Every structure is written in C-alpha cells, then in structure tokens.
Amino acid sequence: MLSLGSGGGKTAKPSFVSYVSPEEIKKENVNDELKPQLLPGEIVICEANTVVKFSREDSLQRGFYGKLVCTNFKISFLSAEQLLDEMEQSYRNKLMGENDISLHCVDQIFGVYDDKKKPLLPGAVKNKIPEKLLLYCKDFRVFHFGLRYTKEEDARRLIQGIVHHCLNPTSLKCLFAFPYVGAAGGLKVGPIRIEDDPPTVMFENKNDWRGELDRTGGLLTYRIISINENYKISTRLPQFFAVPLSVTDDDIKKYKGKGIPLWCWSHPSGCALLKMTALPEAADDSTSQMDKGWIERQLQILGETHSVNYMVRTEILSATLPTLQEIQASYSRFKQLFLTENASEFWETDIKWLSALESSNWLEVIRQCLKKALDIVECLEHKNTTVVLMEENCCDLCCLIASIVQVIIDPHFRTISGFQSLIQKEWVMGCYCFLDRCNLLRNNDKEVPVFLLFLECMWQLLQQHPPAFEFTETYLTILSDSMYIPIFSTFLFNSPCQRDNNQMLDEDRRMLSRSLKLPCVWEWSVQFENSVQALFYNPVYVGKPKTDKIRRTQRIKDPALNCLEIVHENFLDMSEPQRQMSLPSSPSYHNRSSSKKGFFREETDHLIKTFLGKKISRWTLTSEDHSVNYKQFYENWRSKPVDHHGLLLPLYDGPALKVWGQRYLRWIPEVQIPGGGSTTTVNKICEIIDEINTLQTEVSQRVLKRHTSSRSGEVFTPFHQASRLSSTFPFGTIRRQSIKPRIPVSTNLSMSFGSMENLPDEEDLGVL
C-alpha cells in the first residue's frame, strides 16, 4: 500500500508524504504480468500501469497501485496487493469483479487538477493530464484513481478511451451483448429452482397468456389476440396479448393497434384491470378526431357490457402522477445524497440530511405512486369496478401502476417466479422502453428511472410486510444492478419487436440474435453460483400451504414459521446508522398540497378533459367523481387477521417510507455496522430454522424409524457461513472504518463560518 502526498478533493493535506519515486515503484511493480479476466467477445481497448486506486477508509491518502484496463465491456483495476483485513466476499458475480465497472454503469467522469474537480467530456483531454480520475457509477460506487506515476502517453490514451466509450453516443449494434453471445456460441443456462418453484412465464406464446387468463379467471370475458404475429399490425405491441371479447380483429387492423383496451389482470369478482392509449397532446386534426371516436366507442362498449354487474372507471395517470421529467429531476437530486467522495464530505452533508432528502422529493414520488395504486386497489377489491389505466404511450406509468396493483392484490406475484413473470408481462411485453429509459445508447445525459421507481415501491412493501414476499431486498438490489450490464435481452430493447426483428442491426447481427438467443436476466446462473442465488430467498417468507382446505388465518403450521412470526417484528425495526431513513412526521409533510409547483402539472390536456368529462360520464366513473375513503378501507383491512397470502395494503405516510439503505448506502463505510444491521437478524433466523429442521429430522427418524426429508436449510446457509458480517452484507466487507470527527459538528461549523451568527438554520443542524 502506498502513502501518497496528495489526496485531492476536499480532504486535508496529509502529515506524512511519501518520497517514493516513480522509478522505484516501477522496479517493484509486478502488475505488468496481470491480465484481466475477459469474457467471450471482450477485447482490451487501452490500459495503463502504475495507477493508484485510493482507499476511502484511509481518507484517500493511501491506496494500491496496479493496472487500469478499459475493454469493450468494462473498466477493470488489477492489483497484486490485497487488503490484509478483508474477509472473503460472499457476493461474487461471474461477469463483474469487485473492481470492475460496466461501461454503461458509469454516470459521470471527473478529473482533478490542483485539487479542483472538473468534468471530463469527450475531446476534453488534449493538453494537461489530470492528477486523479474520478468515476461516479449508477450503482453509487465512487472510484478514485491516481495518475501521478503513470506515463503521460498511457494516461492520455486511457482517459480518452474511458471517456469515449462511457459518454459518447453509440448504437445498438455496438452493445457488448452481441459479440458476447456470438463468441460464447449460445448460452444454455436457466434460473435456479428451489424445491417446487414454478418456472418464469415469458408470455411469448399463446399458451402463456391462456394460462394466466385461466389462473385469474378471465377466460370467459377476454380472448387472446394473435393477428399481430410477426408484428404485422403494430411494432408497439407484443405478438400475443389479451383483449375484451367486444374488441374485434377488424378494429385492431383498422386502427393499427391504437387505443385497444389491453388486459392486465382479472379479479375473482369479475372486474378487471385494463390499460389503453390515451389521446395524444396534439392539435385537434382529423387523425385525432378519428382516434377520439375510436377510443370513445371502446369505452362505451366496455361500460355497456359491464354495467349489469359493475362499473368501469377510467384513470388518466398523467393527470394525477408526476411526469417523466419530474421523476427524472427528483431522482437526480436524490442520488446526489449518496455520491460522497470521502469521509469529510460525508460528515459535512450529514447535518443537512433530512432537508436534502425532503427537497429531492423522491420519497414523495414513491408516496404518490403507492397512493394511486391503493386507490385502484380499493376500486377492484371493494367496489367491484373495472379500472382502465390511460396514458399517452401506455408503456410508462401504466406499467408502473398496473404492476404495483397486482403485487398488492395477488400473492402469486410476491413469489420469485411470479414476480419475474409479472415483469415479463407488464414491462417487457408491455413495450417499456428499457433502451431509452436506461439511456444505454447515451443519446442524452439523463435517464428516466421508471422501472427503478417500481423496484423502490416493491422495497417499501417488502420492508412493511416481510413474511409476504419470497424474495429479499438483496434480490431487488441485484436486479437493479443488472440493468446496467449490457448482456441481458430483458433490458436491452424498447419492445419485443425491436428485439426479434431489429432494423438497427446489420444482417449478421440479426441472424445472430435469432440463432443464438440473448440471455434474459432471469437466467441467474450467468451471473451467480447457487450459493449467491440462495441469498434471493427470504427466510421469513410464509409459504403457501399445499392444501386449500386450511383456513387463511391458520396457514402457519410449521414450528419454524411460527417462531419467525415472532422474530420478524424486530426485522422491521432495523435501520442504518447515522442517516435517518425516513422523513419525520410533520403536518407540513402530511398535508402537502398535491398541486405543488414543479411536481404536478397544473393543467391537463383540454381535449382529453372535455372528452372524458362530457361524453363518457354517462357510463363510466372518472377520478373526479370517485371519492375514496382511504382511512375506512384501510381500517377495515387492519381489523382482520393478517393474511400474507391475501391483500397487502401499503403505508404511504411520511414516517412509513424509508430510504432503500442496502442499494444506496452499501458502498459508504461510515454507515457500516460491523456485526449489526438487519443482516444479524436474518442470520439469527437462519440459525433458528436450521436448528428446528435438525430437531424435526431427529424426531421423524425416531418415530418413523427411517429418514424423512425435511425442509431444506441449504437456502439460508450463506448467511451464517461468514464469520464476520456487517450491515452491508453481502456487498460490503469488513474494513477499517473511517473515524468520525472528534469535534462536534456544531463546533466545527462555528469555526468554519467564523461565528455562530453565520450558521445555517437550526432545523438543519441536527446530526441525523
């Protein structure tokens, strides 16, 4: 490990300076022999020796020297040195190492010149080489690389290569997925199967859709459409989908799939959740008049068909939820809270944590989405009302709200296979634009995290009702990380049509993508061994009993699960240190007006409003006519025994919503709790489960005089195999902790500002 004389950034000047010359370092340098582990189809573009990777635990004054390599897939740091106090990682990815960064995971690049940080843009590095290279990642890692001892030519070539391949706009045919699958010769892998887990339904054929209609009881009122096979009618629809019986094939052909009420899910009472395209915000020309008449007729048929048993309600999501631009702006402010470069910056931002969290408005966006989903759930569950979600393109907010509603109501989607099937149905086959929203081609400098917003809402439900979900927050975190690995077809395309018949690809790549099918993200064996995949499974999950004769209130028969019901309440109370993970309960937060400037649009499209308000009100309910008594609906649900295989209503008040600590804080050593955090609770639960399973096996052997198969405990062993756990498990490792300033923050601030009169407001001075 090197002790260096320039830490850069805002850290103080060190008291010890190393006078080791570059020549002396190169004599001892054995990193020339280090070779990166390349995947099939991966090639090295540029590299540089004697690059120093700074260690945050040492206030960026110490680090390891090695080789920095840029390939057509990732940026990789190689070093012969190892941390002496680092335990063996429990989390290992076959595609990415601890010091590897996917090119698509790089968010911002900065260069440090004389302790001043400047953004590096394509073509910016021409003359002076920066002393340090800073990489801000979309998974909230921050890398510091020192270039003081690197050859100038190698450093310039390296920086230009990294900036070019991380920030320059690219094309779909240049993504790494195609050389990877071509060189690999096809990937024959599949997801891990634990016990009797059903497979993930891909919804790529009629049988998949028919099975889902049959499971939800929708075969009597909905039918499967196949006239769009090979995408002959519309490229913005899947080849197969379900529509009401009243929709004819001629209508779909005439309007090229526009304005079709698409089936999402059927309620046992007979009502359903649908989605359809709303009128565009454009001039009132002849085309708009034609589309308006078509949509009006479809809604009228729905209302007349279903008016005998239940009403039909239309929900224009763009009128009551944040716009895509507002979601993107809120997330941009929110993520800055976690991109701290060093310990000093962390403790400086700590004093304004809650005010910065509230001003980002990200938790408010989550709250609005959960509230809207609860509104729709109340219509389906309590009022037997069919709800039609409407959006201009029907592939952003419709995917988001429809997915949340189904997870709240249907326990099938709280299992791993069911959750993955839901994403396939509503997001992949729903033509969500992963390629554009994740900004994989870097055509702009901002991404719109609608899918990440969905995972955020799932995490809120998971931490409120842990026994109801088969998967863990580690599963959700890894799923969010997989979005930036350009290998999986799940996140590479804007639609199934673009995936299957992409005109942006040349003929060779089109044939390649068909003959050698790109892996989907659900093929977890591509990334992880079974021991890591076992971390996806929730040890406190209350599994569904094999017989339906058991009453819902008496589902928990396993002694291990009875014990877990008592333990899991402590699991709910675990939180990260230093940072308060939720906004405080205050009147200003709860009673915030929904018409806050900059968050909701104050006016809606007059054409849509007039159309829905005057012409459809005869047979449908609109959001203005629908008064929801949330309190009564929720209190009625709370008064009944908890059913983890029934309805799960989320809490969406300020104190109930928390920050997803594992995803956003896992790389910050200041918030690590060695031997603490929720990991300790989960580890103890796993030990209890194994003890109970052992006792059950011994009892069975003594009573039946033979071996009896018991519940498999292998799923949970990775937790207690590790001898040293921390709150960031399985991502973080136990390392030296940076020391919190001994001088109180208020005293330190008074010294910095000169006098107490210049201090910030009192509400911002609490150490949170």
Side-chain angles (χ1 to χ4, degrees):
M1 177 179 287
L2 297 178
S3 179
L4 304 174
S6 177
K10 298 181 179 180
T11 56
K13 294 293 183 180
S15 58
F16 172 76
V17 179
S18 173
Y19 295 98
V20 181
S21 64
E23 291 77 11
E24 292 175 315
I25 292 177
K26 292 176 183 178
K27 290 179 182 179
E28 301 175 354
N29 190 9
V30 296
N31 294 287
D32 290 331
E33 302 177 358
L34 295 176
K35 302 296 182 182
Q37 295 182 355
L38 300 179
L39 299 175
E42 186 178 6
I43 58 175
V44 175
I45 297 174
C46 54
E47 61 183 34
N49 288 311
T50 328
V51 176
V52 179
K53 178 180 179 291
F54 290 96
S55 174
R56 173 168 176 158
E57 291 81 2
D58 295 295
S59 300
L60 304 181
Q61 305 305 314
R62 295 164 63 88
F64 299 93
Y65 66 86
K67 178 188 293 186
L68 191 60
V69 180
C70 179
T71 72
N72 59 336
F73 170 57
K74 65 178 181 288
I75 301 169
S76 182
F77 178 77
L78 311 173
S79 176
E81 299 181 90
Q82 299 292 333
L83 285 173
L84 299 179
D85 58 347
E86 179 180 341
M87 72 174 184
E88 184 179 356
Q89 274 195 312
S90 299
Y91 169 81
R92 291 187 179 275
N93 193 317
K94 296 179 182 179
L95 304 178
M96 307 287 296
E98 180 185 6
N99 293 321
D100 293 343
I101 315 166
S102 168
L103 297 179
H104 294 275
C105 189
V106 177
D107 192 17
Q108 293 176 296
I109 303 177
F110 294 93
V112 177
Y113 301 85
D114 300 327
D115 293 344
K116 294 182 179 180
K117 186 175 67 175
K118 297 181 180 179
L120 296 180
L121 302 176
V125 183
K126 295 181 179 179
N127 299 319
K128 188 176 180 180
I129 303 298
E131 301 172 1
K132 289 179 59 178
L133 182 66
L134 272 63
L135 300 180
Y136 284 20
C137 303
K138 295 178 181 179
D139 60 1
F140 298 93
R141 291 180 295 173
V142 179
F143 287 88
H144 301 252
F145 297 109
L147 305 176
R148 173 180 296 183
Y149 302 133
T150 309
K151 288 183 179 180
E152 184 175 344
E153 295 180 0
D154 293 343
R156 177 177 285 105
R157 189 182 303 111
L158 176 70
I159 294 176
Q160 290 176 346
I162 291 176
V163 171
H164 174 78
H165 288 88
C166 292
L167 301 183
N168 266 356
T170 185
S171 60
L172 183 61
K173 64 182 181 181
C174 294
L175 295 181
F176 178 68
F178 300 104
Y180 170 72
V181 73
L187 298 171
K188 297 181 180 180
V189 294
I192 185 175
R193 298 284 297 279
I194 301 294
E195 296 182 350
D196 298 326
D197 282 356
T200 298
V201 182
M202 304 302 290
F203 291 94
E204 294 180 342
N205 54 61
K206 296 181 66 173
N207 290 334
D208 291 347
W209 286 95
R210 184 178 293 108
E212 184 66 7
L213 279 172
D214 183 49
R215 188 187 70 84
T216 59
L219 282 175
L220 297 178
T221 52
Y222 297 90
R223 67 187 184 96
I224 303 170
I225 295 294
S226 59
I227 61 172
N228 196 41
E229 194 169 3
N230 296 324
Y231 310 100
K232 294 179 293 186
I233 304 298
S234 173
T235 60
R236 292 299 301 166
L237 289 173
Q239 297 189 76
F240 308 98
F241 52 93
V243 298
L245 292 175
S246 58
V247 178
T248 64
D249 291 353
D250 292 337
D251 290 335
I252 297 176
K253 292 179 181 179
K254 180 178 180 181
Y255 293 97
K256 298 181 179 180
K258 297 180 180 179
I260 302 174
L262 303 174
W263 174 85
C264 296
W265 183 80
S266 291
H267 193 274
S269 65
C271 59
L273 180 65
L274 308 174
K275 62 182 179 181
M276 66 184 301
T277 304
L279 294 174
E281 297 181 1
D284 191 10
D285 52 14
S286 57
T287 304
S288 297
Q289 290 290 343
M290 183 182 302
D291 293 341
K292 185 180 72 171
W294 158 247
I295 294 177
E296 179 181 358
R297 188 165 72 89
Q298 289 302 312
L299 291 175
Q300 182 177 7
I301 293 175
L302 280 176
E304 293 174 349
T305 303
H306 300 151
S307 60
V308 177
N309 299 319
Y310 47 85
M311 298 292 293
V312 177
R313 172 188 172 186
T314 59
E315 183 67 40
I316 304 178
L317 299 180
S318 58
T320 54
L321 288 177
T323 64
L324 299 183
Q325 293 76 13
E326 290 164 348
I327 293 174
Q328 184 276 322
S330 177
Y331 183 70
S332 295
R333 295 190 298 266
F334 175 74
K335 68 181 182 180
Q336 297 303 318
L337 300 175
F338 311 100
L339 293 173
T340 56
E341 297 179 12
N342 49 60
S344 299
E345 183 176 343
F346 172 85
W347 293 115
E348 288 176 6
T349 59
D350 186 63
I351 63 175
K352 295 185 179 181
W353 170 257
L354 283 185
S355 59
L357 176 62
E358 185 172 12
S359 62
S360 71
N361 221 37
W362 181 245
L363 292 183
E364 174 68 10
V365 172
I366 297 174
R367 189 185 73 85
Q368 291 294 335
C369 294
L370 292 176
K371 182 179 179 181
K372 176 57 63 177
L374 182 59
D375 181 8
I376 296 171
V377 166
E378 200 266 352
C379 292
L380 294 168
E381 187 75 15
H382 182 63
K383 298 190 175 183
N384 296 335
T385 300
T386 290
V387 179
V388 182
L389 305 178
M390 301 186 69
E391 185 185 11
E392 182 175 339
N393 56 13
C394 195
C395 64
D396 284 301
L397 298 178
C398 280
C399 298
L400 172 65
I401 300 301
S403 300
I404 298 175
V405 168
Q406 293 175 66
V407 172
I408 291 176
I409 298 180
D410 195 336
H412 170 67
F413 296 124
R414 300 172 209 148
T415 64
I416 290 182
S417 60
F419 186 74
Q420 295 175 169
S421 301
L422 175 67
I423 295 177
Q424 282 292 133
K425 175 167 67 82
E426 296 298 336
W427 296 85
V428 179
M429 294 301 154
C431 297
Y432 176 72
C433 300
F434 280 105
L435 185 67
D436 294 341
R437 297 295 181 254
C438 297
N439 197 25
L440 295 181
L441 301 184
R442 298 183 287 272
N443 293 325
N444 53 68
D445 59 345
K446 298 176 181 178
E447 61 176 305
V448 184
V450 180
F451 182 72
L452 178 60
L453 179 58
F454 166 65
L455 297 183
E456 282 269 14
C457 294
M458 292 301 99
W459 183 86
Q460 300 292 339
L461 283 170
L462 173 61
Q463 62 93 20
Q464 292 180 18
H465 307 284
F469 291 85
E470 186 183 21
F471 50 83
T472 62
E473 68 169 340
T474 299
Y475 170 83
L476 295 176
T477 302
I478 290 178
L479 181 58
S480 68
D481 291 343
S482 301
M483 295 169 56
Y484 307 113
I485 301 179
I487 288 178
F488 307 108
S489 62
T490 311
F491 303 130
L492 282 184
F493 303 100
N494 288 333
S495 65
C497 177
Q498 188 184 46
R499 178 195 62 191
D500 298 338
N501 188 21
N502 197 321
Q503 301 300 323
M504 296 174 63
L505 301 178
D506 52 39
E507 186 63 28
D508 293 338
R509 282 182 170 79
R510 281 201 298 272
M511 295 179 61
L512 181 65
S513 63
R514 293 174 181 176
S515 59
L516 302 177
K517 189 175 181 180
L518 295 173
C520 69
V521 72
W522 318 127
E523 294 168 352
W524 294 111
S525 299
V526 175
Q527 295 191 72
F528 306 107
E529 300 290 349
N530 288 358
S531 60
V532 178
Q533 296 183 54
L535 300 175
F536 297 173
Y537 289 82
N538 184 6
V540 303
Y541 173 63
V542 179
K544 188 175 182 180
K546 296 182 179 180
T547 174
D548 294 331
K549 296 181 180 180
I550 302 177
R551 294 176 56 187
R552 289 188 175 183
T553 57
Q554 299 176 344
R555 287 185 181 271
I556 305 176
K557 295 297 183 181
D558 195 325
L561 296 180
N562 279 321
C563 179
L564 297 183
E565 279 292 293
I566 301 175
V567 175
H568 94 272
E569 295 183 359
N570 295 328
F571 182 77
L572 289 172
D573 298 331
M574 301 304 297
S575 61
E576 301 290 343
Q578 309 299 341
R579 307 288 197 186
Q580 185 169 329
M581 293 286 97
S582 62
L583 291 177
S585 177
S586 62
S588 61
Y589 184 83
H590 291 293
N591 300 327
R592 179 180 298 174
S593 174
S594 61
S595 61
K596 180 179 179 181
K597 184 178 180 181
F599 185 75
F600 293 107
R601 291 189 297 181
E602 296 181 357
E603 65 274 347
T604 57
D605 184 80
H606 296 288
L607 182 60
I608 300 177
K609 187 174 181 180
T610 302
F611 167 63
L612 292 175
K614 294 183 178 180
K615 295 192 174 183
I616 309 182
S617 58
R618 299 191 303 271
W619 57 82
T620 65
L621 294 173
T622 62
S623 57
E624 288 81 1
D625 301 323
H626 181 72
S627 58
V628 181
N629 191 340
Y630 293 105
K631 185 175 181 180
Q632 181 181 358
F633 181 52
Y634 182 78
E635 290 300 328
N636 291 338
W637 176 77
R638 290 287 294 178
S639 63
K640 301 177 182 178
V642 177
D643 181 10
H644 298 301
H645 293 279
L647 189 66
L648 286 184
L649 300 186
L651 293 171
Y652 58 85
D653 289 334
L657 300 183
K658 304 182 186 306
V659 174
W660 188 354
Q662 186 187 68
R663 182 173 194 271
Y664 298 115
L665 299 172
R666 52 185 159 158
W667 312 118
I668 303 178
E670 288 77 19
V671 300
Q672 277 197 27
I673 313 176
S678 59
T679 302
T680 304
T681 304
V682 175
N683 183 43
K684 191 62 179 178
I685 291 173
C686 295
E687 292 177 355
I688 295 174
I689 291 176
D690 285 351
E691 291 177 4
I692 293 176
N693 290 335
T694 302
L695 292 174
Q696 286 179 334
T697 302
E698 293 178 357
V699 170
S700 300
Q701 290 175 354
R702 293 184 180 185
V703 174
L704 302 178
K705 303 298 183 181
R706 62 184 178 85
H707 294 278
T708 303
S709 60
S710 61
R711 289 173 51 90
S712 174
E714 295 179 358
V715 175
F716 312 121
T717 53
F719 283 96
H720 56 266
Q721 278 183 343
S723 58
R724 300 166 64 195
L725 298 177
S726 73
S727 58
T728 58
F729 179 87
F731 301 97
T733 55
I734 300 293
R735 304 185 184 185
R736 290 184 300 277
Q737 300 296 304
S738 59
I739 301 175
K740 182 177 179 180
R742 294 187 177 182
I743 302 178
V745 175
S746 58
T747 306
N748 189 20
L749 280 176
S750 65
M751 296 171 62
S752 302
F753 285 90
S755 66
M756 298 297 292
E757 297 177 355
N758 298 326
L759 286 176
D761 295 337
E762 183 178 353
E763 62 183 26
D764 291 331
L765 286 177
V767 179
L768 308 176

